[in-house]
Amino acid sequence: MTSPASILAEPAPARAGTGTRTRTGTRTGTETGTETGTGTGTGTGTGTGTGRGTGTGTGATAAPTARSPREELRRWRAPLAVVLLILLGGTLVAMLTPAPPTTGYLDPGNPGPQGTRALADILAQRGQPVLRVDSVTAAQAAGRADRAGLVITSPYLLTTRQLAELVRMPGNLMVVEPDSSALAALGPGAALTGAAPSRPAKPGCTLSAATAAGGADMGGVLLRATVPGAWQCYRVDGQPSLVRYLAHGRSVTLLGSGDPLTNSALASRGDAALALNLLRGDPRIVWLVPSLPAAAAVPGAQKSLLQEIPGPAYLVALQVFIAAGLVALWRMRRLGPLVAEPLPVVVRASETVEGHSRLYQSRRTRDRAAAVLRAAALHRITARLALPGNADPDAVCAAVAARTGREASEVRSVLFGPAPRDDAALVALGREMDALEGEVRTQ
């Protein structure tokens, strides 16, 4: 092998000619260069030559690659975390916001002095559950099923139409502290005579519920019975504050004062006994506590979380949603005419069939595979025999048996038989269907 040094030392023979050389190289940045040169030289002893060469080079930058799903998720991770944090904070605020306490007068859910929570608990222990409602519609729905008793507190908050709707309820009725409108609709057997402060009073009547209870705190609205045979009890200033009478198969009780029902007075005198005796006999009690109209709401009452948000905040949120919608319309994919593109890969039909077969085999769905084979064979056989696609199996078996000479039962076992038990039975079924189809074509 001759070294470069020996080539320079040896005398070069006289030569004349042209030569072309090509060099290809790759450099950083994916750059490709080509250099071409021609030269002519003569020399004796030591070769000399002159050459002229030109070179050209081209470079290409690699195209940016598409982001993977993991990179896209990493890109949107921070905004999603902020959104989830905001939602979580709002949920925690909503959950930690305490529910407004029940403070209504004669409300079964109010444990305060003016509530009737204690009476409701005692009635529930005696087998008379109390269902609190705050609307006439709810009271009607709850009281019609089993003739439940109805207790109405603060009837002055109800309209004349609502009072008329309550008249049609079938159960026993108790109206606490009625006014003239409530008496006209619910207690036409009594009338108002005045008012007096609540104070201890004696029964003064023959009503068993009152005589068993004895003295109680009564007064308030003073009444006068206009129905013959009505009980008029607990007279204050000479006028009764408790009236009870029977009308249309139910008892109507008008209680001038709600003090005997309250938590604060339930343990004094005979208040508890009077309240329990008046409500005795009802399997269930619907306790109607009318709610205040929106215009009459108490100023400074506790508001919900949505009510605490000022109105301009909703306008800002609306503007943000509109801006987000406009950005989505701007960035979304434009819809245009369909563009024909060559398929990147052409898949042969046989590969598709093999793929389906491997799926059936991996899941051991021999019944599904047999059903597919039978459906395909049945479609070809019925078309060959000019039978409709929805032909009855008996008709198909008879036609095939007549065409091939086989028994109809044998044809039925091939085309409509049970699913194969194993892979070998599935292969045998496929061969039998091929043979049967061949006989139909050749006969």
Side-chain angles (χ1 to χ4, degrees), residues 173-347:
L173 176 64
M174 175 187 286
V175 183
V176 183
E177 300 178 1
D179 59 353
S180 58
S181 299
L183 287 179
L186 302 174
L192 292 178
T193 60
S198 178
R199 57 177 180 263
K202 295 182 179 181
C205 64
T206 60
L207 180 63
S208 59
T211 57
D217 294 320
M218 290 297 294
V221 177
L222 302 182
L223 307 165
R224 177 173 56 87
T226 60
V227 177
W231 289 280
Q232 303 183 64
C233 308
Y234 294 100
R235 296 179 180 270
V236 176
D237 295 339
Q239 299 296 331
S241 58
L242 169 62
V243 172
R244 169 175 279 191
Y245 61 90
L246 299 178
H248 306 292
R250 68 173 181 176
S251 66
V252 178
T253 304
L254 305 175
L255 196 62
S257 174
D259 289 347
L261 311 179
T262 59
N263 299 326
S264 59
L266 198 65
S268 63
R269 300 179 178 84
D271 292 351
L274 178 62
L276 295 174
N277 292 337
L278 291 176
L279 296 173
R280 183 174 55 188
D282 295 322
R284 192 162 54 93
I285 299 173
V286 178
W287 201 289
L288 174 58
V289 183
S291 58
L292 286 171
V298 179
Q302 187 173 5
K303 299 180 181 180
S304 63
L305 177 62
L306 295 180
Q307 293 175 341
E308 293 290 347
I309 299 176
Y314 290 101
L315 298 179
V316 173
L318 179 61
Q319 293 178 354
V320 171
F321 279 115
I322 294 176
L326 293 176
V327 172
L329 291 175
W330 169 51
R331 298 294 296 174
M332 74 177 186
R333 179 177 297 177
R334 299 298 188 270
L335 301 178
L338 296 177
V339 178
E341 296 182 358
L343 293 176
V345 178
V346 177
V347 180

Side-chain angles (χ1 to χ4, degrees), residues 375 377-403 411 415-416 440:
L378 189 61
H379 175 73
R380 292 189 294 267
I381 290 174
T382 53
R384 187 74 177 181
L385 298 177
L387 294 175
N390 57 351
D392 186 75
D394 294 335
V396 174
C397 294
V400 174
R403 184 68 173 265
V411 176
L415 297 179
F416 304 100
V440 171

